[in-house]
Amino acid sequence: MIPRYARQKMIDLWSDRRRFEIWLEIETYVCEVQEDSGLVPAGTTKALKAATIKDRSVAEIQAIEEEVRHDIIAFLTYIEKQVGPPARFMHQGLTSSDILDTTLAVQLNAASAMLLEDLDDLLAVLKARAWEHKDTLCIGRTHGIHAEPTTFGLKLAGYHAEFARNRARLEDARCGIATCALSGAVGTFAHNPPEIEERVAHKLGLAAETISTQIIPRDRHAHFFAVLAVIASSIERLAIEIRHLQRTEVREAQEYFKPGQKGSSAMPHKKNPILSENLTGLARIVRSAVIPALENVAQWHERDIAHSSVERMIAPDATTTLDFALVRLTSVIKNLIVHADRMRANLENPRGLIYSQRVLLALCDKGLARQEAYTIVQRHALKAWQDDSDFMRNLQDDPQVNTRLSKQELVALFDARVYTKHADAIFARVFGASDDVSQDE
């Protein structure tokens, strides 16, 4: 996690100070519930609430940790200095993992809320731009080669549907990691009844862990980071599309180029898709968290500590990077320059070859066997590729074609409008049957 690719909200969430604040919050809630249950003396909570985490607290706690070599004990020692004798009832019946795992749950839950907001913003922009270009014809490509016409709006609607699925995945993953464990050493509740955990979990906005050992089972976290990786891959898929469309030979869309922006230190003419390329790189960072998260699932017996160092890095890095990437992608799509005229020119450029399937089907309708019709159409298509001739004219000159299809019938097959006739139906599937662009105006 470096400032270049991080927003302040996420930086603050994963800061040492915020971590210590959550530790104090959890310890205070536990004392409060224990006091209500008669497990600790009255007034303990009030004394604990007087403790604070200040700017200098991080350095002081870290200095204690240098001596005791244990972060939770260092924290407790620091709080004891503020609270005095009542602090002896703090952390009663708990183990370090209760605090660490529950804190991670609080942070991941908060990070998820930010990521969901990011996804909502992206979905809104994708929707607006999809409606804007619902009927903007462009060529569809498979294997990087011209296939058949589509519309730029349909492309964006497809990405909207994908990110809507990603949002649902993240909601599910968030529920999986938003769990509280306060079950003590090896998870038996030997010194605090399960009701303590349940009541504190409610205060923290979490669910009580179904059953923990001494830690929350790491299959929950593996699922969470895998979902982040899927979202990152969706970001990269859209980023790669933009990168291709901005190529000089294509020039169908391009990132906004700000006044005063420079594209190259050597070549003044350059306008490079740097934001989309950056998103491709950031997606790799998010995905890199998946294998370590999966390897954390396997623990020795009731717990070991091998997962701890991993999560201290991948949790802030993956969530912060994904947050930054989603916000950047939203900006890219919102400001994307679309060259509809260039899209149309590229669509018409390959000498009519993109209508080969329509000709094939028409010949089949006229009585030709499919493979025979395919051979005829492919022969003329390959000829057009080879000698840069006109595909329609090649077909018109073939007796096997012109005896079955009139000139008017053949010309009618070379009409791109047929590829947009179901755009409304597809949009209804993506955005809802009653939805239209006017609702957002």
Side-chain angles (χ1 to χ4, degrees):
M1 182 173 67
I2 61 175
R4 185 181 182 92
Y5 303 122
R7 296 200 303 153
Q8 194 60 48
K9 286 169 55 176
M10 276 289 191
I11 293 174
D12 292 343
L13 174 63
W14 294 106
S15 68
D16 290 336
R17 175 170 180 167
R18 181 59 188 142
R19 184 174 76 255
F20 294 147
E21 288 173 344
I22 298 171
W23 289 4
L24 181 57
E25 185 178 11
I26 294 170
E27 294 281 5
T28 303
Y29 281 150
V30 170
C31 278
E32 185 175 47
V33 173
Q34 288 175 330
E35 187 174 327
D36 288 345
S37 302
L39 298 175
V40 299
T44 301
T45 305
K46 181 179 179 180
L48 191 54
K49 285 183 177 180
T52 59
I53 301 296
K54 302 176 183 178
D55 290 338
R56 66 175 186 272
S57 301
V58 173
E60 293 183 20
I61 294 170
Q62 290 172 343
I64 298 171
E65 186 180 354
E66 282 294 317
E67 178 184 351
V68 301
R69 310 299 294 174
H70 194 291
D71 54 357
I72 293 294
I73 293 176
F75 166 79
L76 294 174
T77 302
Y78 174 80
I79 299 300
E80 285 170 10
K81 292 179 180 179
Q82 295 188 53
V83 175
R88 70 184 186 275
F89 298 108
M90 185 172 56
H91 203 69
Q92 185 161 284
L94 302 179
T95 187
S96 298
S97 290
D98 289 331
I99 304 302
L100 295 173
D101 277 12
T102 300
T103 296
L104 181 59
V106 170
Q107 290 173 306
L108 290 178
N109 189 37
S112 297
M114 296 184 207
L115 293 172
L116 288 167
E117 289 180 5
D118 297 341
L119 285 166
D120 286 339
D121 291 342
L122 175 59
L123 287 167
V125 169
L126 284 169
K127 177 181 177 181
R129 303 237 53 189
W131 278 105
E132 178 186 351
H133 292 286
K134 179 171 70 72
D135 299 314
T136 301
L137 278 167
C138 64
I139 189 63
R141 296 174 175 88
T142 57
H143 307 277
I145 307 300
H146 284 203
E148 289 189 338
T150 182
T151 76
F152 193 61
L154 285 171
K155 279 178 178 278
L156 294 178
Y159 287 107
H160 184 283
E162 182 171 344
F163 280 102
R165 292 192 296 273
N166 283 331
R167 193 190 191 288
R169 292 181 183 114
L170 183 56
E171 283 277 19
D172 181 55
R174 180 190 188 185
C175 290
I177 52 85
T179 57
C180 169
L182 299 170
S183 52
V186 303
T188 60
F189 295 101
H191 307 286
N192 281 312
E195 292 77 16
I196 302 293
E197 178 186 76
E198 293 168 2
R199 291 176 62 185
V200 173
H202 180 73
K203 290 176 179 290
L204 292 169
L206 304 175
E209 174 57 51
T210 308
I211 179 171
S212 56
T213 53
Q214 188 163 311
I215 61 170
I216 294 172
R218 258 43 192 183
D219 62 289
R220 295 181 179 277
H221 303 76
H223 176 222
F224 180 81
F225 287 107
V227 168
L228 298 192
V230 171
I231 298 172
S233 293
S234 295
I235 291 173
E236 183 180 16
R237 189 171 84 89
L238 181 45
I240 286 177
E241 179 74 13
I242 295 168
R243 290 169 61 186
H244 170 76
L245 296 181
Q246 190 163 333
R247 289 173 57 197
T248 304
E249 298 84 354
V250 181
R251 287 194 301 118
E252 294 184 3
Q254 68 180 72
E255 295 175 4
Y256 176 68
F257 199 78
K258 296 180 179 179
Q261 183 175 339
K262 305 293 190 289
S264 167
S265 64
M267 296 167 284
H269 72 278
K270 295 279 281 180
K271 288 185 177 182
N272 302 325
I274 57 171
L275 301 179
S276 299
E277 290 174 334
N278 172 251
L279 289 171
T280 295
L282 295 178
R284 294 169 183 169
I285 296 299
V286 177
R287 285 196 298 268
S288 70
V290 174
I291 296 301
L294 289 170
E295 291 174 343
N296 279 351
V297 174
Q299 296 275 318
W300 282 29
H301 308 298
E302 277 59 55
R303 73 159 290 201
D304 60 43
I305 201 174
H307 64 286
S308 176
S309 57
V310 173
E311 290 169 353
R312 288 174 191 259
M313 288 188 282
I314 67 171
D317 282 356
T319 55
T320 301
T321 303
L322 186 60
D323 169 63
F324 182 89
L326 285 167
V327 172
R328 171 156 287 184
L329 179 61
T330 300
S331 178
V332 168
I333 299 302
K334 182 178 181 179
N335 298 300
L336 190 70
I337 299 171
V338 179
H339 299 295
D341 54 343
R342 182 70 181 182
M343 288 180 175
R344 188 65 189 237
N346 284 340
L347 185 148
E348 296 172 350
N349 184 48
R351 302 166 298 283
L353 291 169
I354 59 177
Y355 302 104
S356 66
Q357 182 176 195
R358 297 204 71 204
V359 178
L360 166 65
L361 297 177
L363 289 174
C364 290
D365 288 342
K366 295 292 185 177
L368 277 181
R370 182 179 178 86
Q371 293 309 313
E372 183 180 2
Y374 192 104
T375 299
I376 294 170
V377 174
Q378 186 186 43
R379 181 173 70 249
H380 292 299
L382 295 178
K383 184 178 187 310
W385 273 114
Q386 182 175 349
D387 56 21
D388 203 25
S389 59
D390 184 86
F391 180 50
M392 184 192 295
R393 187 167 299 170
N394 292 345
L395 292 167
Q396 289 173 337
D397 294 339
D398 188 329
Q400 289 181 291
V401 176
N402 60 39
T403 57
R404 290 173 173 82
L405 294 172
S406 68
K407 182 178 180 179
Q408 292 76 16
E409 288 175 320
L410 191 58
V411 169
L413 296 175
F414 286 67
D415 185 351
R417 289 176 297 180
V418 69
Y419 299 98
T420 67
K421 64 183 180 181
H422 296 302
D424 288 335
I426 298 171
F427 267 55
R429 287 184 174 185
V430 175
F431 301 113
S434 62
D435 201 5
D436 60 57
V437 69
S438 64
Q439 291 180 324
D440 295 323
E441 295 178 346

